[in-house]
Amino acid sequence: GAVVSQHPSRVICKSGTSVKIECRSLDFQATTMFWYRQFPKQSLMLMATSNEGSKATYEQGVEKDKFLINHASLTLSTLTVTSAHPEDSSFYICSVPSRGTSGGSGTQYFGPGTRLLVL
Amino acid sequence: RKEVEQDPGPFNVPEGATVAFNCTYSNSASQSFFWYRQDCRKEPKLLMSVYSSGNEDGRFTAQLNRASQYISLLIRDSKLSDSATYLCVVNSGGSNYKLTFGKGTLLTVNP
């Protein structure tokens, strides 16, 4: 069965609205979760590392005020795209490191992704 | 130079063919290496880890050459269900164990 869930799977919204995406670790607690973005025919790009109990760590070029991350519990991280614009349309995927690590082995379980379309 | 580079393909092969994918990485400090598979409009799924000694999982064989910073994946006796994008993934280690993905190589296996 699924190890990581994401909700919603698909969002279509108007420009200027905020969109919240949830990522849940179903099988085990995760102090760290990762958020990625994938544009068509491009690589997955790490946006940020979500840390339970502390601030998220953002990758270079990712605006922390635009992409708000809240690691509310050991099984839930949320990504809010604030004031979304058409260029934010993308496939957003979260991942959870394999159990017992913070990603050290490199093996990560990916959520099914959220497809965002901003009109 | 990109951190992880792959031949984007596409590769179109008949069923039963053997196909090989190559990947190079730029960070010599990289510690772990993987091949993930991504189906159209789906999330990536781990296919196999890649070890220095080379490793095999059924029809799939992965090789790593640290000196050349080169990774390969060989698929033998390809099946229709092997059609997907194959992602070369490198874990650079460090404090956050960041995964860096290649753009992927698209494989289509034809009947």
Side-chain angles (χ1 to χ4, degrees), chain B residues 11 15 19-20 22 28-29 40-41 43 46 52 60 62 64 66-68 70 79 83 85 94 99 108:
Chain B
F11 283 59
E15 270 188 288
V19 60
N22 303 319
S28 58
C40 187
R41 303 177 76 82
E43 76 276 21
L46 179 66
S52 296
F60 300 85
L64 167 64
R66 284 186 185 269
S68 303
Y70 170 90
K79 312 290 184 191
S83 298
T85 296
L99 286 185
T108 302

Side-chain angles (χ1 to χ4, degrees), chain B residues 10-83:
Chain B
F11 283 59
N12 287 285
V13 302
E15 270 188 288
T18 295
V19 60
F21 303 137
N22 303 319
C23 171
T24 57
Y25 61 95
S26 61
N27 184 353
S28 58
S30 299
Q31 299 181 0
S32 307
F33 309 90
F34 310 90
W35 285 100
Y36 276 73
R37 168 193 171 131
Q38 186 174 24
D39 291 290
C40 187
R41 303 177 76 82
K42 299 286 187 183
E43 76 276 21
K45 293 187 178 176
L46 179 66
L47 179 65
M48 59 197 301
S49 301
V50 187
Y51 303 116
S52 296
S53 54
N55 49 298
E56 190 173 303
D57 182 1
R59 298 181 292 108
F60 300 85
T61 300
Q63 297 275 355
L64 167 64
N65 184 322
R66 284 186 185 269
S68 303
Q69 295 178 203
Y70 170 90
I71 307 162
S72 66
L73 176 67
L74 185 76
I75 304 176
R76 290 183 301 279
D77 188 24
S78 52
K79 312 290 184 191
L80 296 177
S81 56
D82 293 334
S83 298

